[in-house]
Structure formats: C-alpha cells, structure tokens
C-alpha cells in the first residue's frame, strides 16, 4: 500500500510554512485514528479463541504508523517530530498496537546521535535536510550519515536529483530499474529496496521486479556491462559498447548509454558506501521496525518517544586509550615524507617500478576468510551470472595494460565526453569528485591545523592502483608508509567486495579517529571507485567513437 494515498498529506509536511505542516499533521492524525476505530479493540492473545482481525486493515495501519515513526525520528522539523511522538503515544495508550524499533541506529557501526545534535546547531545542515525532505518526502539513512559533511551532501543530493528526476535521455522508471540492477550486483538490499519503491512510485511495471528475465530485452542487454563494471572494469572494450549501440530495435543511443554508465557506476560505488558505513534499513521499511501486541510487550510509552539508547551509549563510550599515539605516528610519517620530497625526487623509472610493486602487493591483500556470500532470491533475480565476481587485476598469467592517467584522464577526456553527450552533468560529477578529494577540516582526531592532502591522495591513488590506474607524477612508495595493512584490508574489501565488510574491519583502522572522519574516508573510497569505473567505461566509448 502507498502510504501517501492513505494519508494524502505527507508532502505538506516538507513545507517551510508551519501552518501547512500543522494542517497536514491534523489530517494524518485523523486518518490514523479513523483506521484504529475501524479495526476495533485488539483481541486478547490469552483468549482460547480470539476473534480474527482483518489482516489488510492491520497492514494498512502498520504502514501508516511506520511512516509516522520515521517522521518522529528523522523529520527535520521539530514540530512535526513532536506531533508524531504524541500520535504514537496516543496509539499505544489505545492498546491497539505498539511499534518497537527493531533497528534503532541509522548505522550498525556507529551511533548517529552526533549528527542529529549537530544539525540543531548548524543552519547549513538543517537547510540541506529540509530541502531534501521537501523533494523526497524522507531523509534516508544515507543522507543522514553524509550529513557529517554538509558540503559533500549538498553536491551529492544535487547530482542525484539531476540524475534521477530531471530531464534526461532515460525514462524515470528505467533510471530506478538500472539502479536496482547495479545495487543488486553487490547484494545491497538497502539500495535495491529503496529503488524498488521509487520504481513503482514513478509508474514502473511491477512485472519487471519478478526478475531480470521479465524486463525488456534492451535492459537485459545491460547485464554484461553491469557485471564487468562492478567487478572487473579493466576488461571493458569497445566491442561491448558496439554490442549495445548496434542491437537493431534494442539499441541504445550514445546519450542513453552515458546516462546508463553514470547510473551503474554511481550505484556500485554507493553500495560500497552503504556497506562501509553499516547503513541499516530506513525506519519505515522492512527490517527497520517491528510491530508487537501490547500485552506481550514490556515496552512503555517513553520507548517510542525517546528510543532505546542503551546500545547507542555503549557504542558512544568505547575506549580507545590503548591505541594512543597512533595518530601522532601517522603525522610524523607525513612530515618525514614531505621532507624527503623537498630534498630529492625519484626518477620516472623508479616511480614506475614502485607503482608495479604496489599494484602487485594490493593483489596479495586478503579481504576476507569468510565463505562466499550467497545472494538471496530477492536480490539475485535482478542480475544474471551469479558466479561472476571480483578477480585480481592480473590472474593466471593474464596481463592487463596499465591505464595511465597521462593517456586517459577524467579531467582531460572523460569530463568533456560526459558533458557533450549528457549536457551539464559532467560539471556536476566533477564538482562531486573535487569536493570529496579536497574536503578537509585540517584535523586528525584531536589535532588541529593539520595538512591532510598527502594522506587523502595516498588513499585515492591506492584505490586507483587496485584498478590498474597509474599517475605518473605520484610516488607509490608513500602508500605503504601511510596506509597500514588493516586499513588496506578495509579499503580493498569496501571497494571490491563491500558486502563482506564487518564491524571488526571498520573498528580495526584509525582507532583514534572520529566516526565523522571515517565517513569522510568512505566518501573518498566511494568517489575514487566511481571515477575508476567511469574512466574504463568512457575510454571504451571513446575508442568506439574513434
């Protein structure tokens, strides 16, 4: 059921006019109480033969209450949050149903109380949240986590809006379906479910969701491009592009294909961010809440109003004193490397040798000893060839030529191609890449006034090195100095097999750093991965065109 049809006034809750929000909340309140009256008193579970309840009525009410619950926690307007809490309390007192938060946290890896507190004091974050809520009718958990870095979040939401909602080569429902296909390659149920809902909301055919075989042939043909970009983008050739552009009645145009490539690379990389930050289901979606009968519950009204904070307090109070000095050691290494730069510079031959050595070493980093993750039918039905996954850059004697940025780069080649075939979008992508790469607060943990550019460049270039991309002017010997093995394990897992990320991996690197700094790292990893995939895809398209 679409809760928008049930209540009819969700959109008005995103208005900056308080009277409009108040009127909308009154209508939602009336709708909820009307449904409760229709259902009648809840049956006594202790009764030997309790009367049957109408499952459809109960389901409709649950959907409404789940949406109200989401608003009580994540609406950027305090008046709406307060009224939703009061409504939930009234529902509970009526002994009809209790909503229990199954997943209290936006992230399973760290508490979000920090960003929610910051947004009350930071006008920019509050404004961004309000704008996003007005457009989407929600603040999804990804946006909330990105709220640690408002400059990036603003650019990300602008890019997403242009890519999914503005005029472009692809129809709206196809955009969301391609997002589903891309997220499914990494078993990212969070993104799959998000875009299943959006796909249906813009009029997508529900049959397509039964499996990729139900989708049109033109979309099914993207399966090969999807899997290669997600797992081994260096294998993409101009022949793959030609196959899509010359498929008779199922052909894609160049403009459409650019749109497709950007969507695929965005959602592959966003799946990495989702797993890397431990993003949990949104409160109003499956897995984000559960419903319990009052007489079977020990929950009280204050639980709905305030949430269970025991786990959050536990996460928030973790001690890292045993890792003291970690930051200082890293800062000293950065200082020493800078001094070496000032004294002498390695030859081009030595730089090339160091790249090859780092590329080889990156293949030896073991990401996980766990068994292979087997995707559920809910996810795997959206893509083909389940056995196809990440393999190291060179394997069984196979040699893939290095992609030298000197020969094909985003700045000199990819940017102009995207802008030519998808007007103005290259500028948005470039802005997003630049913000992620250059974002800094000149801090490291508790230290202020720190130049972190050397560290950020090492992270970015290490990811591109894993994709076989080389910067001629970079000394790859710095990577081993600045990135320890546990950090490399996390990076490689998140970028190549993000579905295998664990809390242990997240906790094992940069143990003295703030969660906001680790989210910043994940933004770097996400954007570096997206740009790497894009480079291979755009290079293949360029070769086809020439």
């Amino acid at each position: 059921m679409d809760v928008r049809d049930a209540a009819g006034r969700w959109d008005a809750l995103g208005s900056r006019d308080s009277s409009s929000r108040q009127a909308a909340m009154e209508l939602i309140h009336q709708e909820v109480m009307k449904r409760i009256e229709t259902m009648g008193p809840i049956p006594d579970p202790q009764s030997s033969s309790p009367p049957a309840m109408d499952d459809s009525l109960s389901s409709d009410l649950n959907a409404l209450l789940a949406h109200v619950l989401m608003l009580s926690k994540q609406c950027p307007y305090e008046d709406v949050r307060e009224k939703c809490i009061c409504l939930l309390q009234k529902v509970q007192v009526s002994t009809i149903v209790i909503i229990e938060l199954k997943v209290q946290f936006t992230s399973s890896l760290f508490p979000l109380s920090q960003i929610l507190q910051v947004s009350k004091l930071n006008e920019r974050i509050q404004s961004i949240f309000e704008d996003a809520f007005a457009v989407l009718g929600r603040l999804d958990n990804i946006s909330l986590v990105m709220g640690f870095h408002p400059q990036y979040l603003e650019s990300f939401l602008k890019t997403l809006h242009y890519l999914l909602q503005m005029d472009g080569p692809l129809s709206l429902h196809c955009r969301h379906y391609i997002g589903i296909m891309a997220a499914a390659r990494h078993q990212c149920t969070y993104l799959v479910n998000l875009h299943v809902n959006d796909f249906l909301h813009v009029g997508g055919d529900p049959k397509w969701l039964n499996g990729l075989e139900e989708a049109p042939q033109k979309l099914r043909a993207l399966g090969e491009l999807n899997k290669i970009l997600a797992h081994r983008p260096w294998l993409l050739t101009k022949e793959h592009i030609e196959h899509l552009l010359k498929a008779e009645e199922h052909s894609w145009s160049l403009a459409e294909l650019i749109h497709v490539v950007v969507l695929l690379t965005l959602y592959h990389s966003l799946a990495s961010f989702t797993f890397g930050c431990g993003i949990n289901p949104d409160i109003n979606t499956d897995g984000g809440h559960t419903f319990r009968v009052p007489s079977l519950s020990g929950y009280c009204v204050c639980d709905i109003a305030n949430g269970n904070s025991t786990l959050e307090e536990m996460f928030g109070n973790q001690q890292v004193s045993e890792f003291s000095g970690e930051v200082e050691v890293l800062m000293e290494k950065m200082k020493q490397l800078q001094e070496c730069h000032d004294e002498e510079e390695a030859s081009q031959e030595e730089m090339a040798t160091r790249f090859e050595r780092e590329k080889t070493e990156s293949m030896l980093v073991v990401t996980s000893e766990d068994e292979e993750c087997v995707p559920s039918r809910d996810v795997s039905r959206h893509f083909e060839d389940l056995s196809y996954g990440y393999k190291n850059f060179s394997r069984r004697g196979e040699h893939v030529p290095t992609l030298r940025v000197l020969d094909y780069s985003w700045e000199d080649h990819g940017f102009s191609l995207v802008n030519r075939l998808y007007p103005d979008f290259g500028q948005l992508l470039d802005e997003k890449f630049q913000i992620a790469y250059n974002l800094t607060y000149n801090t490291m943990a508790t230290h202020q006034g720190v130049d972190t550019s050397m560290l950020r460049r090492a992270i970015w270039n290490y990811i591109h090195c894993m994709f076989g991309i080389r910067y001629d002017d970079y000394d790859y010997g710095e990577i081993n100095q600045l990135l320890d093995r546990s950090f490399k394990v996390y990076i490689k897992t998140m970028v190549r097999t993000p579905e295998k990320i664990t809390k242990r991996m997240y906790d094992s690197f940069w143990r003295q750093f703030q969660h906001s700094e680790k989210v910043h790292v994940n933004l770097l990893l996400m954007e570096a991965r997206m740009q790497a995939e894009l480079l291979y895809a755009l290079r293949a398209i360029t070769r086809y065109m020439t």
Side-chain angles (χ1 to χ4, degrees):
M1 182 200 70
D2 188 338
V3 291
R4 288 178 177 271
D5 294 336
R9 288 294 181 270
W10 301 117
D11 287 342
L13 296 178
S15 171
R16 283 191 160 89
D17 177 51
S18 60
S19 60
S20 297
R21 298 197 301 270
Q22 183 176 350
M25 273 308 306
E26 182 58 34
L27 289 170
I28 291 169
H29 183 281
Q30 293 173 8
E31 182 68 28
V32 170
M33 300 315 294
K34 182 174 72 174
R35 289 180 182 275
I36 287 176
E37 292 172 5
T38 302
M39 287 181 62
I42 197 165
D44 181 1
Q46 304 301 323
S47 170
S48 57
S49 56
M53 294 183 68
D54 189 323
D55 288 341
S56 63
L57 289 177
S58 176
S59 176
D60 286 352
L61 176 61
N62 286 356
L64 275 170
L65 292 177
H67 205 80
V68 173
L69 176 60
M70 179 273 290
L71 293 170
S72 75
K73 298 289 183 182
Q74 297 180 345
C75 180
Y77 296 105
E78 188 173 2
D79 59 327
V80 173
R81 294 198 301 271
E82 290 177 351
K83 288 182 182 298
C84 286
I85 288 171
C86 290
L87 177 55
L88 291 170
Q89 291 173 339
K90 187 173 182 179
V91 170
Q92 186 174 18
V93 170
S94 70
T95 70
I96 296 297
V97 69
I98 285 184
I99 300 180
E100 171 198 358
L101 285 186
K102 179 180 179 182
V103 180
Q104 171 65 32
F105 305 122
T106 296
S107 166
S108 61
L109 300 180
F110 53 84
L112 200 64
S113 57
Q114 299 173 41
I115 184 58
L116 297 178
Q117 291 165 2
V118 169
S119 67
K120 296 177 183 178
L121 305 174
N122 189 308
E123 291 183 3
R124 183 177 187 183
I125 297 177
Q126 179 67 16
S127 178
I128 294 171
F129 281 172
E130 289 175 4
D131 288 343
F133 190 81
V135 172
L136 302 172
R138 65 174 185 259
L139 273 180
D140 57 52
N141 288 345
I142 286 178
S143 297
L144 285 170
V145 171
M146 288 182 180
F148 277 123
H149 305 287
Q151 183 185 5
Y152 176 85
L153 175 61
E154 195 168 28
S155 175
F156 174 80
L157 290 175
K158 188 193 305 181
T159 302
L160 210 61
H161 178 67
Y162 193 97
L163 192 60
L164 295 176
Q165 296 176 284
M166 299 291 285
D167 289 342
L170 299 178
S171 61
L172 296 183
H173 65 280
C174 277
R175 303 179 198 194
H176 290 294
Y177 195 79
I178 292 167
I180 292 169
M181 291 174 63
R185 283 277 8 156
H186 282 307
Q187 306 166 39
C188 188
T189 55
Y190 177 89
L191 289 174
V192 168
N193 291 338
L194 194 67
H195 285 281
V196 162
N197 291 334
D198 289 341
F199 171 78
L200 294 173
H201 184 71
V202 297
D205 187 344
K207 291 181 181 178
W208 295 11
L209 301 177
N210 293 332
L212 189 58
E213 65 276 4
E214 297 285 343
Q217 173 59 36
K218 188 174 178 179
L219 281 167
R220 295 203 303 273
L222 295 176
E224 187 78 4
L225 177 66
N226 184 23
K227 75 177 186 182
I228 293 175
L229 278 178
H231 305 298
R232 309 172 205 174
W234 49 85
L235 298 182
L236 198 65
T237 66
K238 66 177 183 180
E239 284 73 28
H240 292 111
I241 303 304
E242 183 176 22
H243 178 72
L244 293 169
L245 296 175
K246 294 185 176 181
E248 298 177 350
E249 70 269 24
H250 304 303
S251 296
W252 295 87
S253 69
L254 269 172
E256 287 176 327
L257 191 58
I258 288 290
H259 202 165
V260 166
V261 163
V262 174
L263 281 166
L264 291 175
T265 56
L266 173 70
Y267 281 100
H268 294 157
S269 59
L270 195 55
S272 286
F273 182 83
T274 301
F275 283 113
C277 291
I279 302 292
N280 282 324
D282 293 329
I283 290 174
N284 59 317
T285 62
D286 290 343
H289 63 275
T290 58
F291 294 94
R292 295 199 300 185
V293 177
S295 57
L296 299 180
S297 171
Y299 240 44
C300 65
V301 173
C302 62
D303 289 321
I304 288 180
N306 302 318
N308 284 342
S309 61
T310 306
L311 287 175
E312 184 162 356
E313 291 168 359
M314 179 183 72
F315 278 128
N317 293 329
Q318 283 182 329
Q319 298 298 315
V320 293
S321 58
E322 64 267 34
F323 307 117
S324 60
E326 184 182 44
V327 179
E328 289 76 8
V329 170
L330 183 54
M331 291 174 62
E332 181 61 27
K333 288 180 178 178
M334 290 165 58
K335 180 181 176 182
Q336 292 173 358
L337 286 170
Q338 186 58 54
E339 290 173 351
C340 290
H341 278 182
D342 296 339
E343 291 176 5
E344 63 175 315
E345 201 170 292
S347 66
Q348 281 298 311
E349 293 76 11
E350 178 60 24
M351 300 268 265
T353 299
R354 291 175 183 177
F355 169 78
E356 292 298 331
R357 184 186 302 129
E358 188 57 49
K359 185 177 72 172
T360 301
E361 287 182 5
S362 74
M363 293 186 284
L364 301 177
V365 174
V366 179
T367 57
S368 175
E369 296 178 358
D370 299 334
E371 295 181 3
E372 290 295 316
C373 301
V374 180
S376 67
R377 168 61 185 162
D378 283 347
V379 173
S380 64
R381 61 186 171 185
H382 299 301
F383 66 93
E384 298 171 328
D385 197 355
L386 274 62
S387 64
Y388 193 94
Y390 167 71
K391 300 295 182 187
N392 280 323
F393 185 75
S394 294
R395 193 175 177 87
R396 297 190 184 93
E398 171 191 6
H399 175 69
V400 181
T402 294
L403 191 163
R404 297 177 65 202
V405 172
L406 190 66
D407 298 327
Y408 198 92
S409 70
W410 165 253
E411 292 79 8
D412 296 331
H413 306 90
F415 171 82
S416 58
L417 180 60
V418 172
N419 246 17
R420 178 150 55 98
L421 297 175
Y422 194 0
D424 301 325
F425 193 68
Q427 187 65 44
L428 286 174
L429 277 180
D430 188 62
E431 177 185 286
K432 187 162 66 76
F433 290 146
Q434 291 296 327
I435 289 175
Y437 186 86
N438 294 315
L439 184 65
T440 182
Y441 306 97
N442 296 310
T443 61
M444 284 180 66
T446 59
H447 296 269
Q448 306 292 321
V450 182
D451 181 358
T452 63
S453 57
M454 181 180 290
L455 183 57
R456 285 182 277 116
R457 189 179 187 191
I459 294 170
W460 186 279
N461 287 1
Y462 178 62
I463 295 162
H464 279 199
C465 179
M466 288 193 299
F467 282 87
I469 299 171
R470 180 192 166 200
Y471 293 81
D472 288 350
D473 63 345
Y474 182 69
D475 182 357
Y476 286 85
E478 294 182 6
I479 290 176
N480 276 334
Q481 295 292 315
L482 299 176
L483 312 183
D484 63 27
R485 191 161 189 82
S486 63
F487 193 14
K488 285 185 173 182
V489 168
Y490 177 81
I491 291 174
K492 186 173 181 181
T493 305
M494 180 175 157
V495 172
R496 306 309 298 139
T497 52
E499 59 274 16
K500 293 185 177 182
I501 283 286
T502 64
K503 188 175 188 304
R504 179 182 55 78
M505 290 181 187
Y506 176 87
D507 290 339
S508 68
F509 80 94
W510 284 14
R511 289 158 291 193
Q512 281 186 285
F513 286 71
Q514 302 293 320
H515 291 301
S516 61
E517 292 174 303
K518 290 194 172 187
V519 171
H520 183 185
V521 167
N522 287 341
L523 293 178
L524 269 175
L525 304 188
M526 175 175 72
E527 294 299 340
R529 176 186 177 173
M530 181 178 179
Q531 191 180 99
E533 285 190 29
L534 263 181
L535 281 176
Y536 281 110
L538 297 176
R539 185 182 68 168
I541 292 173
T542 300
R543 286 177 171 176
Y544 166 79
M545 293 172 66
T546 55

